[in-house]
């Protein structure tokens, strides 16, 4: 069963229940009100008849002492049509009530039984619905007391025909009106549900088309109000947009990785073919070795990024003396440099909380880049200074510089200004991506300023943490590793 049908049925059933309850309550109220009116008039008549009866019984004459048709003065109230009155007296000898007097309406049809026999035993007022000769009556009975002694009962009955007819009519009208309303509600409910759910149909259709056509660029068209459905469409479209972007990034990444892997493999293959033809060749062997080293580096870098993406790269946080770390990197860089001078600028004493191995890896990436992209005779300068809240490390070179257009992208994976040059230098195109993640994971930031042909300055800023907080952070890191993760893909 579709949601539309279910909603329509639900609305209609609820409406039917409400109409039924309303009809029941309305007819009960009407019934109660009309019966009250009947009871009131019956009691009024009974009161009148009692007064006459008491007078008659207190002044017995020849005529009225006999059982049966007693000529009693008729009160005006007795003239109401459909009203029946009986006076029953208690016979001392037979211990049974006998009919002392009956109104003309009963005498005319010769009715001599009690209208409500059970009530004749009660010392209290009794009101009851009874059916006499297929006529629905309301009968009220009151005891008849003379000189403080109960001598019999007076019964007055009134036909409930008008009351029953009024209630039947009301129920009839309610039934017809109710059925009509429910029918209208069924059609209207179906129409409204269809209209309201139309965008959902559009969503599922688009989702099916996307699956069928494998096309994430599609969006659901919606020009309705920004209600729940509107929000659903918006969220769905946002999700599609995000998925589309992620797939693009993933596709580009896979293409980049395949390309990066294929290049060294082709080189290795070519050199092996060469050696098969000409025999052992030292140059070819060196090329094979250097390409396989490059591939190993590439795979290592990729693994590291994959771990970072999956949030499985933990940092071993300790108090790190940044000045010592900078000195170590400086010494290592001097060994690596060939034709480029490595200079140590001003170095302040600074401690930060961090993973010293990762921070060293970051700095080495920056410094080796400086060495790679600076021609002989140039310089790479390392410096460290502290301000109020930050430790700032600058790696400035006098090298090629980076064109302005490329600057926003150089931290992206596999982005290289000059692919061929990077490749010759043994680069993987992942060094700066890794550097950025390490900086982020330390709550720091990394940036670059560059002038083409003049050189570049990479700046790493790390937050200085108050000693107490730092100790606490280190304690936590060691208690439940891994606590600090490199962030996932941006
Ligand atoms: P690679 O392994 O190619 O060096 P990186 O991610 O470390 O990869 O750097 C990305 C690109 O940024 C490099 O290919 C290079 O074009 C550019 N680059 C990085 N550092 C420098 C620098 N100091 N001077 C000029 N260009 C740089």
């Amino acid at each position: 069963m579709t949601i539309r049908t279910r909603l329509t049925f639900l609305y209609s059933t609820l409406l039917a229940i409400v109409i039924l309850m309303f009809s029941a309550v309305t007819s009960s109220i009407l019934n109660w009100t009309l019966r009250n009116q009947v009871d009131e008039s019956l009691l009024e008549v009974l009161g009148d008849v009692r007064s006459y009866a008491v007078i008659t019984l207190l002044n017995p004459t020849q005529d009225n002492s006999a059982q049966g048709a007693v000529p009693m003065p008729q009160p005006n109230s007795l003239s109401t049509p459909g009203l029946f009155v009986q006076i029953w007296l208690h016979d001392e000898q037979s211990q049974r009530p006998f009919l002392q007097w009956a109104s003309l309406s009963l005498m005319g049809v010769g009715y001599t039984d009690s209208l409500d026999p059970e009530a004749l035993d009660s010392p209290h007022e009794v009101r009851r619905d009874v059916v006499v000769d297929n006529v629905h009556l309301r009968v009220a009975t009151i005891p008849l007391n003379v000189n403080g002694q109960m001598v019999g009962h007076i019964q007055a009955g009134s036909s409930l025909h008008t009351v029953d007819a009024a209630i039947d009519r009301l129920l009839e009208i309610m039934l017809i009106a109710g059925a009509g309303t429910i029918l209208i509600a069924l059609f209207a409910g179906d129409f409204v549900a269809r209209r309201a759910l139309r965008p959902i149909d559009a969503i599922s259709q688009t989702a099916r088309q996307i699956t069928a056509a494998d096309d994430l660029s599609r969006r659901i068209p919606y020009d309705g109000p920004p209600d729940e459905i509107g929000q659903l469409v918006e969220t769905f479209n946002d999700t599609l947009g995000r998925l589309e972007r992620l797939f693009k990034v993933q596709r580009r990444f896979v293409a980049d990785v395949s390309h990066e892997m294929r290049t060294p493999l082709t080189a290795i293959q070519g050199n092996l073919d060469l050696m098969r033809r000409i025999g052992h060749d030292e140059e070819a062997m060196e090329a094979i070795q250097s390409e396989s080293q490059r591939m190993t580096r590439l795979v290592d870098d990729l693994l590291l990024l994959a771990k970072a993406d999956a949030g499985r790269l933990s940092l071993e946080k300790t108090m790190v003396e940044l000045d010592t770390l900078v000195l170590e990197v400086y010494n290592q860089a001097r060994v690596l440099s060939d034709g480029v001078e490595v200079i140590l600028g001003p170095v302040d004493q600074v401690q930060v909380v961090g993973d010293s191995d990762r921070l060293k890896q970051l700095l080495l990436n920056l410094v080796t880049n400086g060495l790679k992209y600076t021609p002989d005779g140039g310089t790479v300068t390392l410096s460290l200074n502290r301000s109020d809240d930050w430790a700032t490390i600058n790696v400035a070179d006098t090298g090629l510089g980076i064109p302005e257009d490329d600057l926003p992208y150089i931290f992206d994976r596999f982005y290289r200004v000059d692919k061929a040059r990077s490749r010759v230098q043994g680069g993987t195109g992942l060094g700066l991506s890794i550097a950025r993640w390490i900086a982020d994971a330390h709550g720091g930031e990394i940036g670059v300023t560059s002038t083409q042909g003049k050189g570049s300055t990479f700046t790493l800023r790390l937050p200085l943490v108050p000693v107490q907080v730092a100790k606490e952070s280190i304690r936590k890191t060691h208690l439940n590793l891994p606590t600090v993760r490199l962030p996932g893909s941006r």
Side-chain angles (χ1 to χ4, degrees):
M1 208 195 275
T2 59
I3 293 184
R4 203 183 76 215
T5 323
R6 262 185 283 165
L7 277 179
T8 311
F9 266 112
L10 191 75
Y11 288 148
S12 309
T13 314
L14 279 178
L15 192 68
I17 291 172
V18 170
I19 290 176
L20 275 179
M21 278 167 52
F22 181 71
S23 309
V25 170
T26 317
S27 61
S28 302
I29 291 173
L30 185 69
N31 193 9
W32 182 80
T33 315
L34 292 178
R35 255 151 216 276
N36 255 5
Q37 281 176 9
V38 172
D39 284 0
E40 269 172 29
S41 60
L42 283 179
L43 290 176
E44 194 185 322
V45 169
L46 283 172
D48 289 351
V49 172
R50 179 165 49 192
S51 310
Y52 282 100
V54 170
I55 294 166
T56 312
L57 288 170
L58 284 176
N59 306 295
T61 63
Q62 195 82 41
D63 288 341
N64 64 23
S65 60
Q67 283 190 23
V70 181
M72 261 197 20
Q74 299 270 322
N76 285 339
S77 47
L78 272 180
S79 58
T80 316
L83 183 72
F84 315 103
V85 183
Q86 291 175 327
I87 299 178
W88 290 87
L89 291 184
H90 200 69
D91 183 9
E92 297 283 317
Q93 280 167 2
S94 64
Q95 290 290 313
R96 292 168 64 96
F98 64 89
L99 182 63
Q100 172 70 20
W101 178 85
S103 61
L104 289 175
S105 51
L106 285 173
M107 301 243 296
V109 291
Y111 191 83
T112 54
D113 290 342
S114 167
L115 291 171
D116 183 3
E118 280 175 40
L120 295 182
D121 296 332
S122 169
H124 308 292
E125 177 192 310
V126 177
R127 283 183 251 173
R128 222 195 309 260
D129 282 14
V130 293
V131 178
V132 174
D133 282 351
N134 288 328
V135 180
H136 192 195
L137 291 181
R138 181 72 174 165
V139 176
T141 307
I142 56 168
L144 179 60
N145 297 325
V146 175
N147 291 334
Q149 198 186 343
M150 196 176 86
V151 295
H153 289 86
I154 310 175
Q155 286 192 326
S158 176
S159 163
L160 285 174
H161 174 77
T162 334
V163 175
D164 290 345
I167 289 166
D168 285 353
R169 188 92 190 105
L170 177 78
L171 286 176
E172 222 170 80
I173 293 171
M174 291 251 179
L175 207 76
I176 294 170
T181 313
I182 289 168
L183 212 68
I184 294 172
L186 265 174
F187 284 110
D190 184 63
F191 176 73
V192 171
R194 194 188 295 259
R195 258 184 78 103
L197 294 175
R198 202 174 293 154
I200 302 231
D201 280 346
I203 294 178
S204 55
Q205 256 180 32
T206 313
R208 269 197 295 273
Q209 283 168 2
I210 289 166
T211 318
D214 214 358
D215 180 5
L216 282 173
S217 66
R218 287 179 197 230
R219 297 290 178 272
I220 297 163
Y222 181 75
D223 50 9
D227 52 13
E228 288 87 341
I229 301 276
Q231 282 169 19
L232 176 69
V233 172
E234 197 187 325
T235 313
F236 193 77
N237 281 340
D238 285 351
T239 311
L240 282 177
R242 196 166 152 66
L243 276 177
E244 190 187 6
R245 277 195 301 279
L246 281 176
F247 270 106
K248 266 189 195 154
V249 169
Q250 195 210 28
R251 242 181 246 151
R252 206 188 69 210
F253 184 68
V254 171
D256 284 346
V257 171
S258 323
H259 180 77
E260 293 300 324
M261 299 290 246
R262 210 183 53 216
T263 318
L265 280 174
T266 314
I268 291 171
Q269 189 69 46
N271 282 300
L272 283 174
D273 283 349
L274 180 76
M275 285 209 291
R276 194 173 291 126
R277 271 186 281 118
I278 63 165
H280 181 82
D281 179 72
E282 203 48 46
E283 218 175 298
M285 281 297 282
E286 263 174 35
I288 289 173
Q289 192 180 13
S290 121
E291 288 301 337
S292 28
Q293 277 169 354
R294 226 177 73 78
M295 255 179 67
T296 310
R297 269 201 311 279
L298 181 69
V299 171
D300 283 349
D301 285 355
L302 278 174
L303 264 177
L304 188 120
L305 287 177
K307 271 191 188 171
D309 280 351
R312 284 190 292 114
L313 198 65
S314 58
L315 296 186
E316 292 275 355
K317 279 193 173 181
T318 53
M319 288 297 274
V320 181
E321 289 180 359
L322 265 190
D323 41 323
T324 313
L325 198 76
V326 168
L327 273 177
E328 279 173 27
V329 172
Y330 164 73
N331 286 330
Q332 229 164 307
R334 275 203 322 176
V335 178
L336 293 172
S337 73
D338 182 16
V340 177
E341 190 187 355
V342 183
I343 302 171
L344 191 63
V347 175
D348 291 347
Q349 261 195 347
V350 187
Q351 276 193 334
V352 293
V353 175
D355 183 324
S356 65
D357 286 349
R358 295 284 175 221
L359 288 174
K360 192 170 177 182
Q361 180 183 11
L362 187 164
L363 292 181
L364 273 173
N365 268 346
L366 297 184
V367 173
T368 44
N369 272 353
L371 295 175
K372 272 193 289 184
Y373 302 109
T374 303
D376 286 356
T379 59
V380 173
T381 311
L382 254 171
S383 64
L384 162 67
N385 64 66
R386 67 173 293 168
S387 58
D388 287 345
D389 301 321
W390 297 92
T392 308
I393 299 175
N394 283 314
V395 180
D397 63 57
T398 56
L400 305 173
I402 301 163
E404 218 179 308
D405 292 347
D406 295 297
L407 269 181
Y409 309 108
I410 56 161
F411 291 96
D412 291 354
R413 293 174 192 188
F414 295 119
Y415 192 88
R416 282 173 289 198
V417 178
D418 182 346
K419 260 190 190 302
R421 189 185 182 102
S422 159
R423 149 162 296 285
V424 171
Q425 305 275 12
T428 62
L430 296 172
L432 286 182
S433 309
I434 293 170
R436 168 117 99 183
W437 274 317
I438 294 173
D440 284 349
H442 283 82
E445 50 195 46
I446 188 167
V448 60
T449 52
S450 185
T451 312
Q452 212 177 347
K454 287 200 170 161
S456 318
T457 302
F458 283 83
T459 306
L460 168 70
R461 276 159 43 93
L462 294 172
L464 295 177
V465 192
V467 178
Q468 193 48 41
V469 180
K471 280 183 184 160
E472 192 59 24
S473 156
I474 292 165
R475 202 173 59 80
K476 274 193 195 147
T477 312
H478 282 280
L479 277 179
N480 44 26
L481 270 175
T483 50
V484 185
R485 297 152 151 191
L486 287 182
S489 59
R490 51 193 61 247

